[in-house]
């Protein structure tokens, strides 16, 4: 299941790993895959909110390509 845009509660697959938009709880392992729980108020969270698959967000000279949203 994927959604059209990144919202609170989205699981985001990027070219730089997985992020879960929720509260900043740090990194968790899910099926041996690291997932970072990210706050929408964080600098990266603010850039990712509202993006679609194929969009990019850049922070600290690092680019994050949104590959999937669930």
């Amino acid at each position: 299941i994927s959604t059209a845009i990144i919202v609170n509660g989205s699981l985001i697959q990027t070219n730089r790993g997985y992020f879960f938009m929720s509260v900043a709880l740090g990194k968790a392992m899910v099926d041996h895959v690291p997932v970072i729980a990210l706050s929408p108020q964080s600098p990266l969270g603010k850039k990712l909110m509202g993006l679609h698959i194929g969009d990019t967000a850049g922070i600290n000279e690092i680019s994050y390509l949104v590959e999937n949203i669930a």
Side-chain angles (χ1 to χ4, degrees), residues 14-46:
T14 74
N15 62 320
R16 298 194 167 269
Y18 286 85
F19 298 91
F20 179 61
M21 193 66 70
S22 59
V23 294
L25 295 175
K27 183 168 57 172
M29 297 298 285
V30 180
D31 291 333
H32 306 289
V33 176
V35 177
I36 298 172
L38 186 65
S39 165
Q41 290 80 28
S42 69
L44 179 57
K46 287 179 184 177

Side-chain angles (χ1 to χ4, degrees), residues 12-19 48 63-68:
I12 307 138
Q13 179 183 359
T14 74
N15 62 320
R16 298 194 167 269
Y18 286 85
F19 298 91
L48 289 172
S63 182
Y64 297 84
L65 170 66
V66 178
E67 296 176 343
N68 198 9

Side-chain angles (χ1 to χ4, degrees), residues 1-12:
I1 297 173
S2 69
T3 58
I5 63 170
I6 295 173
V7 296
N8 201 20
S10 293
L11 177 63
I12 307 138

